[in-house]
Amino acid sequence: MEDTKYMFYVLLHPFDGFYEVKFRGKKNYIIATVVLVLFGIIGILDYQYTGFIFNDNPLQHMNSIKVFFTTLFPLLLFLISNWSITTLFDGSGSMSDIYIVICYSLVPKIIFDIIGIIFSNVIIKEEASLLYSFTAIGTIWFCFLVFCGLCVIHEYSASTNILTLLASFISAIIIVFLCMLYITLMGRLFGFFATAFNELIKRW
């Protein structure tokens, strides 16, 4: 309960809160993971239960597991890319610190997304701008907390943090490209061995 209260303290006092997380160990990985899983579930609810006026998703082809992992994938990709870049830029934050920053920062986005799903079912299309503005608050708050948290745990200035964030996005693109290249090559390699194996069976 104490750790949960502290997580909400971080939302309103990000610099002080993440300082305590980094240097005084006020972090709870179980709570952070629960928040992350909850965010994935909200992604499923958003996909399925957003009001039909605002929902263009092909619900007849919905795969909940795919939506869940698609929701979490950008966060996990950013976690890896930011950690890999900040190790080159002398950042003092570990991967677990970055994980805590991302998960704790998700709380306002989760709250605003839940309210947004509810609102989308009771408002009309002409009020769409109000809905998008409302949900944007959660996203902006999330980005602000992540920015403050990374500044604190890596002990960066704002300018250095911006540079490492840009490098992290480029790194994320490279990681995705290399993963796709690896999967393609492995697919062709297995295809080659499967073809060769079938040829050997036919000859012998």
Side-chain angles (χ1 to χ4, degrees):
M1 184 60 74
E2 188 68 27
D3 290 335
T4 305
K5 287 182 180 178
Y6 188 77
M7 181 180 68
F8 285 99
Y9 172 81
V10 170
L11 305 185
L12 299 175
H13 308 83
F15 287 104
D16 184 42
F18 285 122
Y19 179 87
E20 298 282 334
V21 166
K22 168 68 179 175
F23 297 103
R24 296 182 181 171
K26 286 193 174 183
K27 50 190 170 186
N28 188 313
Y29 294 107
I30 296 175
I31 292 175
T33 304
V34 168
V35 171
L36 187 66
V37 172
L38 184 59
F39 182 67
I41 295 172
I42 295 301
I44 297 172
L45 296 177
D46 181 59
Y47 191 99
Q48 184 169 5
Y49 293 110
T50 294
F52 69 93
I53 297 176
F54 307 100
N55 195 343
D56 297 323
N57 297 318
L59 299 179
Q60 66 275 21
H61 302 302
M62 178 180 173
N63 183 328
S64 298
I65 297 175
K66 182 180 178 183
V67 174
F68 180 83
F69 285 107
T70 303
T71 304
L72 298 187
F73 178 74
L75 300 174
L76 300 177
L77 180 62
F78 177 75
L79 169 67
I80 296 171
S81 62
N82 186 257
W83 173 75
S84 61
I85 289 298
T86 52
T87 51
L88 300 176
F89 281 78
D90 296 325
S92 60
S94 63
M95 183 176 279
S96 61
D97 293 329
I98 302 171
Y99 178 74
I100 291 292
V101 167
I102 292 174
C103 293
Y104 281 15
S105 302
L106 282 172
V107 174
K109 180 159 178 57
I110 289 173
I111 294 171
F112 278 87
D113 282 355
I114 292 174
I115 300 173
I117 293 170
I118 297 171
F119 278 179
S120 70
N121 286 278
V122 296
I123 65 174
I124 58 176
K125 197 166 186 177
E126 286 70 21
E127 297 170 333
S129 57
L130 291 175
L131 175 66
Y132 296 141
S133 300
F134 185 78
T135 53
I137 294 172
T139 303
I140 292 170
W141 196 347
F142 163 73
C143 294
F144 174 71
L145 290 174
V146 169
F147 184 82
C148 296
L150 293 178
C151 274
V152 172
I153 65 167
H154 292 308
E155 299 181 70
Y156 282 159
S157 63
S159 58
T160 305
N161 199 29
I162 291 171
L163 284 176
T164 56
L165 284 173
L166 291 174
S168 297
F169 287 121
I170 295 171
S171 171
I173 294 171
I174 293 172
I175 290 172
V176 171
F177 173 75
L178 291 177
C179 287
M180 292 177 66
L181 184 63
Y182 176 77
I183 292 170
T184 303
L185 289 175
M186 291 303 292
R188 290 186 178 181
L189 188 63
F190 282 121
F192 170 76
F193 281 118
T195 304
F197 183 71
N198 288 331
E199 287 292 328
L200 285 174
I201 290 177
K202 288 177 182 177
R203 289 177 181 275
W204 295 94

